[in-house]
Amino acid sequence: MAVSRREANKIKCRQDILKASRRLFKEKGYENTMIDDVADKAEISKATLYNYFPNKESLLVGTMDDQIAAAEKYIRESGKEENLCSYDKLKLALEFLILDSIPFIDVSRRIMYLNACEASPMYGKVNEVKDMFRDLTDKAKNEGTFKKDIHSIEIVELMMSIYLNSQFQWKDIEELSEEQVRERIERMLEITLAGCFK
């Protein structure tokens, strides 16, 4: 369904704001970035910015929403093109999320931290990632990749442990090439999920 020019402009403005905020959070740090800075970088008024995002934390929520939507789109498109099984799509989702976070690793770490804080609007946001993993895990189980007696949520928790480990424990993450990241993910999946495969 085609969107109107007005809708397209709203989508572009939102994307420009999020892109500007991610760059500024990386350059200046989250604490040192002000809403005025983001509006200036996005070349919009502060009032316009507030139409999309009421505060700085909502920029993090928007960033996470966009990352999940981009991952889902990437998996859909790659899966169709390459005729991938659900396990390969699950691996692609993990790779996408980790690789997408590297240029803005400090922002990603803050999002993950705030996800655990009950008072934050980010609280529980990672459940959307878990839902994506669970859907793909259920499909992989139906395709016979995983043992039927292992609960999907257990596999999802193992996937999440790799994802969170990459965000906080891979101290060299910014120095790794894309190929090295993919190789590390592959090794971790083989080790972590070894008892889950049929």
Side-chain angles (χ1 to χ4, degrees):
M1 185 166 98
V3 295
S4 68
R5 180 175 295 200
R6 183 168 186 233
E7 253 333 283
N9 286 339
K10 286 170 99 177
I11 292 167
K12 183 183 179 319
C13 185
R14 183 180 184 281
Q15 290 171 338
D16 289 347
I17 293 167
L18 289 173
K19 192 184 297 182
S21 69
R22 282 178 82 172
R23 286 189 182 140
L24 286 166
F25 293 159
K26 180 181 180 180
E27 291 166 14
K28 298 174 73 169
Y30 179 81
E31 298 299 334
N32 295 326
T33 300
M34 301 299 132
I35 288 290
D36 288 342
D37 300 329
V38 178
D40 289 346
K41 185 92 169 168
E43 299 179 350
I44 58 169
S45 70
K46 194 168 153 182
T48 299
L49 189 147
Y50 280 129
N51 285 334
Y52 292 87
F53 300 99
N55 55 44
K56 208 160 56 163
E57 263 195 352
S58 66
L59 292 166
L60 295 177
V61 173
T63 296
M64 186 71 176
D65 287 342
D66 276 11
Q67 187 184 38
I68 293 166
E72 289 171 341
K73 181 180 178 190
Y74 177 71
I75 294 157
R76 240 185 351 265
E77 291 174 358
S78 297
K80 282 181 189 172
E81 287 174 20
E82 301 171 34
N83 198 25
L84 299 176
C85 68
S86 294
Y87 173 70
D88 288 337
K89 290 178 185 178
L90 185 61
K91 188 166 50 170
L92 262 187
L94 183 62
E95 288 175 356
F96 181 92
L97 291 169
I98 293 172
L99 287 167
D100 189 57
S101 71
I102 293 173
F104 308 97
I105 192 66
D106 290 335
V107 174
S108 186
R109 286 175 179 148
R110 178 172 285 275
I111 288 170
M112 293 301 110
Y113 168 75
L114 290 172
N115 175 72
C117 300
E118 287 187 40
S120 169
M122 290 300 299
Y123 182 69
K125 197 73 181 149
V126 171
N127 288 338
E128 293 175 33
V129 174
K130 287 182 177 182
D131 291 343
M132 177 174 54
F133 285 166
R134 182 158 191 166
D135 179 55
L136 293 168
T137 298
D138 288 341
K139 288 177 181 171
K141 279 178 76 172
N142 290 334
E143 291 168 7
T145 304
F146 295 124
K147 294 175 183 173
K148 291 279 185 188
D149 62 336
I150 295 177
H151 296 287
S152 294
I153 195 63
E154 294 170 326
I155 295 170
V156 170
E157 292 301 329
L158 292 170
M159 296 292 293
M160 288 302 296
S161 72
I162 295 171
Y163 178 44
L164 293 172
N165 190 279
S166 74
Q167 301 301 286
F168 294 101
Q169 299 300 317
W170 294 9
K171 300 299 181 190
D172 60 347
I173 193 166
E174 293 177 281
E175 299 158 19
L176 298 175
S177 69
E178 184 174 324
E179 186 59 35
Q180 289 171 317
V181 170
R182 290 183 193 280
E183 286 171 6
R184 188 175 289 185
I185 292 168
E186 184 71 38
R187 282 195 311 275
M188 292 189 81
L189 284 170
E190 285 173 11
I191 294 165
T192 307
L193 301 180
C196 300
F197 294 110
K198 257 190 167 178

